[in-house]
Amino acid sequence: MEGARRPATLIERATPTWGRVYFALQALAGAAWWIGVFTIPAVRTATLGTLDAPVIAALDIPLFVLGSALVGFGIRAAVWVTVPWTILVAAGMALYATLTGTAGWGALLMIAAAIGSVGAGVLVLVGRVPSEWLLVGPFRFRPAGPSRTRSLLSRTGAQILVFSGLFLVLLPAIILFLELRWGLHVSVPIGVRIAGGGLLIAAFALSMWSAASMSVQGEGTPLPSAMPRRLVIAGPYRYVRNPMAVGGIAQGIAVGMIAGSWLVVLYALGGSLLWNTLVRPLEEADLEERFGSEFRAYRDRVSCWLPRRPQSSHRNAGTGIG
């Protein structure tokens, strides 16, 4: 018997109107920023350094501010001008800030604007958020083939090593370097770094426990292209549906705390938002398709993010990539 249709997620309810609202707000923010540039010296220095403001304004006001306003008023073609220009300016500001050690806030704000513009632009042009575009190559959902537990554990360990090296070491190191170079770093108390170390140990242990449960009981790996063949509802999955994601995000926050980098913490929180809004709904739809009422009962019983005491005990076990 089919269960009740699940409510649409926030990302599934997104419409082109949301994208137009974003561009309208971006136009207002851009106009306010340019007013600040020409009236408040501190704003000009923090965001443009020694760049010639009138020259940049001659291009940015029509292409960024007015272009965003046009999209906000429903002129879709303006997306093809505003979004590429925003990306170009963000790249240029990042390079300038890195070379000179100035205008760090300008680089950061333009990178944020570029990310927002790309997302809103896709929403305006496509009419929805095409999150399925993420499911390509090794990120396409496929159950793992029959393998021995030792092989699955080895593959899981290799995946964790690669992903940890990229997302918990290399990218945070780059972010910290830019934070320091762009003059955005803020000193934090030693207690924050110590607390970060404790959080890292706990989060790493949770991730390892989750990965082992996924391989041993779920007969799969954390990688979407080799997902568990059985529904994992044992181990840490008894308390929260996505312990791998919880552990990974907590590790990212911990790395930021240890490094004393607010941008690394922001990067980890941004990753959690991206995963929760784009990836998780696709993963849970795949699990519901494969496991049906068994997964729906599990989803209704166990919280997504906040651990809670299990209502009943079960022996079976994996929830895919989370």
Side-chain angles (χ1 to χ4, degrees):
M1 178 179 178
E2 284 295 316
R5 182 178 176 83
R6 65 179 176 83
T9 64
L10 185 65
I11 203 70
E12 291 170 335
R13 293 195 298 268
T15 67
T17 300
W18 291 25
R20 293 196 298 270
V21 168
Y22 170 86
F23 279 107
L25 293 175
Q26 180 168 269
L28 292 174
W33 174 67
W34 274 113
I35 292 173
V37 166
F38 286 113
T39 59
I40 306 174
V43 172
R44 179 170 178 168
T45 300
T47 57
L48 289 180
T50 58
L51 292 173
D52 192 328
V55 171
I56 297 175
L59 291 171
D60 194 65
I61 290 177
L63 296 178
F64 179 72
V65 178
L66 296 181
S68 295
L70 289 175
V71 180
F73 280 112
I75 302 178
R76 297 170 72 246
V79 169
W80 296 105
V81 175
T82 300
V83 173
W85 171 254
T86 306
I87 295 172
L88 179 63
V89 172
M93 288 300 302
L95 179 61
Y96 174 77
T98 303
L99 293 176
T100 66
T102 63
W105 283 107
L108 182 63
L109 291 173
M110 285 310 303
I111 289 172
I115 294 172
S117 294
V118 169
V122 169
L123 187 56
V124 168
L125 295 175
V126 179
R128 62 185 182 86
V129 178
S131 53
E132 71 278 3
W133 290 359
L134 298 173
L135 305 182
V136 297
F139 299 102
R140 184 164 65 90
F141 292 150
R142 293 190 301 272
S147 299
R148 292 185 177 182
T149 299
R150 180 178 298 179
S151 174
L152 290 171
L153 287 172
S154 297
R155 290 164 61 187
T156 295
Q159 292 170 20
I160 291 174
L161 183 63
V162 171
F163 278 83
S164 295
L166 176 61
F167 294 107
L168 297 178
V169 178
L170 180 59
L171 289 180
I174 293 173
I175 292 171
L176 178 59
F177 168 77
L178 294 176
E179 182 179 317
L180 293 168
R181 180 61 180 164
W182 293 357
L184 304 177
H185 190 67
V186 178
S187 297
V188 301
I190 187 63
V192 172
R193 299 176 187 268
I194 294 174
L199 177 60
L200 181 61
I201 293 172
F204 179 78
L206 175 61
S207 294
M208 293 301 99
W209 186 20
S210 305
S213 297
M214 190 175 293
S215 296
V216 175
Q217 298 167 312
E219 300 177 1
T221 77
L223 196 66
S225 60
M227 296 180 69
R229 293 148 51 95
R230 301 170 61 199
L231 183 66
V232 183
I233 56 178
Y237 291 92
R238 296 180 61 208
Y239 304 94
V240 64
R241 294 205 307 271
N242 302 286
M244 283 287 291
V246 171
I249 294 163
Q251 286 180 79
I253 294 173
V255 169
M257 294 170 65
I258 293 170
S261 170
W262 66 275
L263 275 182
V264 172
V265 173
L266 187 63
Y267 148 79
L269 294 175
S272 71
L273 180 63
L274 179 69
W275 188 90
N276 188 58
T277 56
L278 296 182
V279 179
R280 183 179 66 83
L282 296 174
E283 177 194 15
E284 296 199 341
D286 174 76
L287 291 168
E288 184 170 5
E289 181 180 351
R290 288 198 288 137
F291 299 111
S293 59
E294 184 183 6
F295 172 73
R296 288 192 293 272
Y298 172 69
R299 182 185 60 199
D300 294 342
R301 187 176 65 253
V302 179
S303 171
C304 176
W305 288 108
L306 299 178
R308 64 189 182 196
R309 189 172 182 177
Q311 298 177 14
S312 59
S313 59
H314 296 266
R315 296 181 59 187
N316 288 343
T319 61
I321 61 175

